[in-house]
Amino acid sequence: MIRDTIKSAQVESMKAGDKDRLAAVRLILAKLKDRDIELRTASNVPDDDTVVVEVLQKMVKQRRESIDMFKSGGRDELAAKEQAELDVIETFLPAQLSEDETRAAIEGIKAEIGAESVKDMGKVMAVLKERHGAVIDMSKASGLVKAALS
């Protein structure tokens, strides 16, 4: 399980004295704890790896947005800090599909459900997320789906 890998990375970081990695791993664990608390009242709880991947993907998206803002604002030291956190977070995510593999998945789904225009984008995105949500960056996939349906 991904959660166990993250916990063992925390212990390894402590033993190695790697403060930056330890801080990032603790941040991940804190976000996971917050998500666990949110899910206590939920009626249908997804499996643990699904929850962990969702949290990690959200954190990756936040870091990428922050990096862009810091770079445009001339704050390269803060962008570097965010990039270091992003690198740690990405080590725990499952391997992402390449752009070609993503395009192939989109074309398969498009043919399967008979999508022909941009009006069908929501349907394609829903199936894509259901089948490949853990291994595709959905923000990039959105642009690829739009291009495929145009």
Side-chain angles (χ1 to χ4, degrees):
M1 289 179 35
I2 300 172
R3 190 182 300 256
D4 295 334
T5 307
I6 295 170
K7 288 179 182 177
S8 64
Q10 179 184 22
V11 173
E12 291 169 14
S13 299
M14 279 190 242
K15 287 181 179 177
D18 188 349
K19 292 181 180 181
D20 293 334
R21 181 172 172 82
L22 178 61
V25 171
R26 283 182 172 161
L27 189 64
I28 293 168
L29 289 170
K31 291 289 185 186
L32 288 173
K33 184 72 172 171
D34 290 346
R35 184 73 174 131
D36 291 342
I37 291 169
E38 288 175 20
L39 290 175
R40 283 184 190 165
T41 58
S43 57
N44 57 344
V45 180
D47 68 79
D48 191 54
D49 278 352
T50 304
V51 172
V52 173
V53 169
E54 286 175 2
V55 169
L56 292 175
Q57 286 178 333
K58 186 174 181 180
M59 292 177 75
V60 165
K61 182 180 178 191
Q62 290 170 339
R63 297 303 172 286
R64 287 189 177 137
E65 290 171 356
S66 296
I67 289 169
D68 290 342
M69 286 191 298
F70 288 142
K71 283 184 178 179
S72 67
R75 302 295 307 267
D76 293 332
E77 70 283 354
L78 293 175
K81 180 179 181 284
E82 291 288 317
Q83 183 63 50
E85 285 182 6
L86 177 63
D87 294 341
V88 172
I89 295 166
E90 286 180 334
T91 61
F92 299 112
L93 278 171
Q96 300 290 296
L97 293 180
S98 69
E99 189 170 322
D100 292 335
E101 293 169 324
T102 304
R103 287 181 198 273
I106 291 168
E107 288 301 322
I109 292 169
K110 189 174 120 177
E112 181 183 323
I113 64 173
E116 296 176 1
S117 69
V118 179
K119 292 179 182 178
D120 300 319
M121 186 170 171
K123 295 176 189 173
V124 175
M125 288 298 292
V127 174
L128 188 66
K129 184 171 184 174
E130 177 186 321
R131 293 186 188 165
H132 306 287
V135 293
I136 291 180
D137 180 358
M138 295 308 289
S139 60
K140 291 179 183 174
S142 175
L144 294 175
V145 169
K146 191 171 190 175
L149 294 174
S150 294

